[in-house]
Structures are given as structure tokens and as C-alpha cells.
Amino acid sequence: MKLSRMNTLFTRLFALVFLVLTISHVLTFWLIFGFHHDTNRPHGGLPDFGMVVRIGAELLTVACVAWFATKIVARPIQQLSAAAAELGDNVDRAPLPEAGPLEARQAARAFNRMQSRLREQLAARGRFLAAVSHDLRTPLTRIRLRVERMGVDETIQLLRADVAEMTSMLDATLNYLRGEAQIEPCVLLDIHSLVVSMAEDYEEQGFSISTSGAASPIPAYPVSLRRALSNLIENALRYGEQASVKCIEHPEGVTIAVSDRGPGIPDSELHAVFEPFYRLELSRNKETGGVGLGLSIAREAIHRHGGTLSLDNAIGGGLVASIFLPRIEHDFITEA
């Protein structure tokens, strides 16, 4: 990791400039005191201490100027690299400043244009899927009404269950698209207070939930984070009958662990459950669970924060969903 941090454009430019300056000073030093050998000078023509100090001070001054000049030259590339890394997690990030040399301004302008097109394409996709999902409600409603006029045999019961499942899937899809299209500001959020507040809400509804640990405020999107935590806590309460939420403070971020005492998930399917509409056949079927969008929504929300969401089976039984939120400095942060 340390070697990769040193292998940057800034360090390469600075090393190259410093090497050239050092070689030039060494050659100058050698030409002055090598070819112009003066036997009358003390120490056999060697340079005096004052000369060495002057040349060393000059080299140090030029090296400092080279350091600042290299930093200025490399800054646009560093900003572009950071923006490209952040774009994968948040397509609605602030545009890249179009400043600096001509090439840097052109690169920033092209990057901003690409980001704008990506945002437009995602919005168009969301509008299309929302329109399709919305238009499907009408025939589904007609099917449900016609089924209700029919008998009550086993086939009719199955049809009713299918219609109810399709309606539930459409509702979940619309909610997912509404949340994906929602734009909210990044604020300095008190994670521990949010967790405690959500736990109190569930306790008032009669659920068994406990909290522990502590976490200092970090930049976050409160609505997205609350939706992600709500999905994870509701999964824990649905399949484990009780939930435990623990906040763990790190120098580089905060971990929120939501654990339950349910049946857990087979190791082979720990990653597959994040896929949209994916449901396990045994513990998380359509009779006891949702339509399979909860974990997908939670993961997208956490990725927007630049964090990660992982699932692990606890040693004593149950499932642990771990959210890691890094301390990322966002461009615009307001107080929660």
C-alpha cells in the first residue's frame, strides 16, 4: 500500500526534476573545482565551506520550488482521479472544477459532460421502468377484480396469490426507483443517535431490539442510510425475531453491525442475496419475506456513501450484516 501511494504522478515528476537539478549542480561543482585546480588555494584547491553552503542552499531552494511547481502541475490529474473514483459511488457528485492549464480544463469539461450524460441516462431508465411498472397496475387490477368474481377453489386461490405477489413486486420496484432518483444533501450525521432513534421506534411497535457501542458524526445521506438500516433491521426482526445493532468507531470510519438469531444464510448464497428479486427458498420465501429488493436497496445506499455492506453467518447462529461507512470529505456538507 505504501509503495502504491509513492508511485504517483506527483512523486515521479518531483523525483525527475530533483534528479535533473542534482545532476546539474554536481556537474557545475565538478567543472568549477575539477578543471580549475588552484594549487595556491588551501586544502589543495578544494572548495571552501562557504562555497559548499551556498551551493547546498541553492539546491535546497530550487528543490522546494520544484516541489511546489510539481504539486501544481499534478493537482488537476489528482482531482480528476479522485472524481473518477467517487463517480462510481455517487453519480450526483458535484461537477469537477474546470480550472488550471488548457489540457486540465478540457479533461475536466469532458469528465463533467460524461457525468451529465450518465445522470441523464440513469434518470431516463428510472422514468421508463417507473412508467412500465405504473402501467402494469391497470391490467393487474382488472385481473384481481375478475378473479374475485370467480369461485373459491384451489386454482382461484393460486391466482390470487400470484396477483398479490406481482402487485407487491411492482410496489417494491416503484419504491426502489423513487429512492434511486431522490437527491438529498450530504450532512454531518450523528450515527449513534440515528441508530438509537430507530431502535426506540421499533421497540414502541413491540419488537425486541438492542443497541450498543458509540460512533461520532460522519458525512452521510440521512434518508438513504436510514432506508438501508431499516431494511437490515426489519430482516433481522423478521427472520431472527430480535435484532442487535452495534456501532464500532474506527479511525478511518464507522461500522454498524446488525445481527440476529435466525437461521442464517448458506455460505454459497451470501453474495447472491444482494441481487434484485433474489429470495432463498427455505428461510426467506415469499410467504415470510418480501420480494427480494431489501438487500439490493441497502447495498446501493451504502455504496453511495462510498462504504461496503457484507453478510456473515455468526459462529453461534444467526446472521450479521455489517455496514462500513468511511470518513470521506464531501464537497458540500451541511449540519444535520
Side-chain angles (χ1 to χ4, degrees):
M1 181 61 71
K2 293 183 178 180
L3 293 178
S4 63
R5 290 181 179 177
M6 294 297 295
N7 188 19
T8 61
L9 177 63
F10 168 75
T11 54
R12 289 188 176 189
L13 284 176
F14 177 73
L16 179 61
V17 174
F18 187 77
L19 180 62
V20 171
L21 291 173
T22 303
I23 293 175
S24 65
H25 277 71
V26 170
L27 288 176
T28 303
F29 192 84
W30 179 71
L31 289 174
I32 293 176
F33 298 102
F35 284 105
H36 302 283
H37 183 74
D38 189 358
T39 57
N40 295 324
R41 297 183 62 181
H43 307 291
L46 294 176
D48 57 13
F49 180 74
M51 178 65 70
V52 174
V53 172
R54 286 195 297 272
I55 294 178
E58 180 182 352
L59 179 60
L60 180 61
T61 302
V62 176
C64 292
V65 173
W67 187 85
F68 283 106
T70 305
K71 192 173 185 64
I72 293 174
V73 172
R75 183 177 300 166
I77 304 300
Q78 293 172 339
Q79 292 177 343
L80 181 61
S81 175
E86 187 180 352
L87 182 64
D89 299 322
N90 180 18
V91 73
D92 295 317
R93 63 173 304 280
L96 193 65
E98 299 180 7
L102 175 61
E103 293 80 2
R105 295 198 304 271
Q106 290 176 342
R109 191 175 300 113
F111 179 86
N112 291 335
R113 187 165 55 250
M114 177 190 66
Q115 178 183 349
S116 178
R117 290 177 179 176
L118 285 174
R119 190 161 47 234
E120 291 174 358
Q121 290 177 359
L122 289 175
R125 185 198 67 175
R127 289 192 299 268
F128 171 76
L129 292 177
V132 171
S133 299
H134 183 271
D135 291 342
L136 284 176
R137 288 179 179 273
T138 300
L140 273 177
T141 302
R142 289 200 301 265
I143 292 175
R144 185 171 63 249
L145 292 175
R146 290 170 181 172
V147 169
E148 293 297 333
R149 295 195 186 107
M150 302 172 69
V152 291
D153 57 15
E154 183 178 357
T155 303
I156 301 303
Q157 296 297 331
L158 293 176
L159 286 175
R160 289 175 178 172
D162 290 338
V163 171
E165 182 181 2
M166 293 179 64
T167 303
S168 178
M169 292 177 65
L170 283 175
D171 292 338
T173 302
L174 287 174
N175 292 332
Y176 173 73
L177 293 175
R178 291 191 190 101
E180 188 180 54
Q182 185 176 10
I183 299 176
E184 59 175 318
C186 180
V187 302
L188 195 60
L189 184 64
D190 191 336
I191 302 297
H192 183 259
S193 297
L194 174 63
V195 169
V196 172
S197 174
M198 294 182 65
E200 291 176 351
D201 292 340
Y202 283 107
E203 286 180 344
E204 291 179 356
Q205 300 176 39
F207 293 104
S208 175
I209 182 172
S210 62
T211 61
S212 60
S216 58
I218 63 172
Y221 301 97
V223 177
S224 297
L225 182 58
R226 189 180 185 91
R227 183 183 299 114
L229 283 173
S230 177
N231 288 337
L232 297 179
I233 293 175
E234 288 177 3
N235 280 346
L237 294 174
R238 181 181 297 118
Y239 307 115
E241 297 182 355
Q242 59 181 350
S244 174
V245 186
K246 183 177 182 180
C247 297
I248 305 173
E249 183 84 26
H250 303 287
E252 62 276 9
V254 174
T255 296
I256 308 174
V258 181
S259 58
D260 61 46
R261 297 183 181 179
I265 296 177
D267 293 338
S268 59
E269 300 189 72
L270 284 174
H271 296 287
V273 291
F274 287 109
E275 297 299 325
F277 303 108
Y278 185 92
R279 292 178 301 197
L280 296 177
E281 292 298 329
L282 297 178
S283 62
R284 286 166 166 79
N285 54 43
K286 61 186 179 182
E287 281 77 19
T288 60
V291 298
L293 275 178
L295 290 176
S296 299
I297 294 174
R299 184 177 63 173
E300 292 297 328
I302 300 306
H303 282 181
R304 187 184 179 193
H305 290 78
T308 57
L309 171 60
S310 60
L311 300 177
D312 298 285
N313 287 306
I315 297 178
L319 187 71
V320 179
S322 300
I323 295 176
F324 175 73
L325 301 174
R327 299 186 183 277
I328 298 178
E329 293 295 333
H330 294 267
D331 295 330
F332 301 98
I333 299 177
T334 58
E335 292 293 336

